[in-house]
Amino acid sequence: YYDMLRGPHPLGDKRYLNDKFVSSERMVFLDGTGQGSTDTDRVYYETMVQPAMFAHSNPRRVAVVGGGSGAVIRELLKHKTIETIVMIE
């Protein structure tokens, strides 16, 4: 947000969605393309993980394929029934 306020383009301009304007602490880039930000991280991973977890009556063992930043595991650990998480990178 503060990067955009200091920048030359109007707020919301898509030209800000690159690594020249947004600092790495706020947004993750892969080959110059925005992949995620601290603003949307929680919502994104909750939406990905929680429906599957609540669909199971007693989840105990989970395999995570491509664990990335660990945010999926963070969401899984919110469930007290989880005994084992295996991350396969």
Side-chain angles (χ1 to χ4, degrees), residues 3-88:
D3 297 326
M4 290 182 191
L5 287 179
R6 288 189 298 269
H9 309 299
L11 288 178
D13 192 303
K14 297 216 182 288
R15 290 176 284 185
Y16 282 119
L17 297 178
N18 68 60
D19 53 5
K20 291 182 178 86
F21 288 104
V22 182
S23 64
S24 60
E25 291 83 26
R26 296 188 196 106
M27 193 157 188
V28 175
F29 289 88
L30 178 62
D31 295 328
T33 303
Q35 301 296 312
S37 72
T38 54
D39 293 338
T40 60
D41 180 70
R42 181 187 55 80
V43 174
Y44 175 79
Y45 288 104
E46 280 182 356
T47 305
M48 186 186 326
V49 172
Q50 299 305 340
M53 293 302 293
F54 286 116
H56 194 290
S57 62
N58 188 30
R60 294 179 300 136
R61 296 181 312 268
V62 180
V64 176
V65 179
S69 66
V72 169
I73 293 173
R74 178 192 66 216
E75 290 299 316
L76 291 170
L77 290 172
K78 292 179 180 178
H79 294 265
K80 302 299 181 202
T81 60
I82 297 294
E83 297 170 359
T84 305
I85 299 173
V86 176
M87 185 173 87
I88 305 161

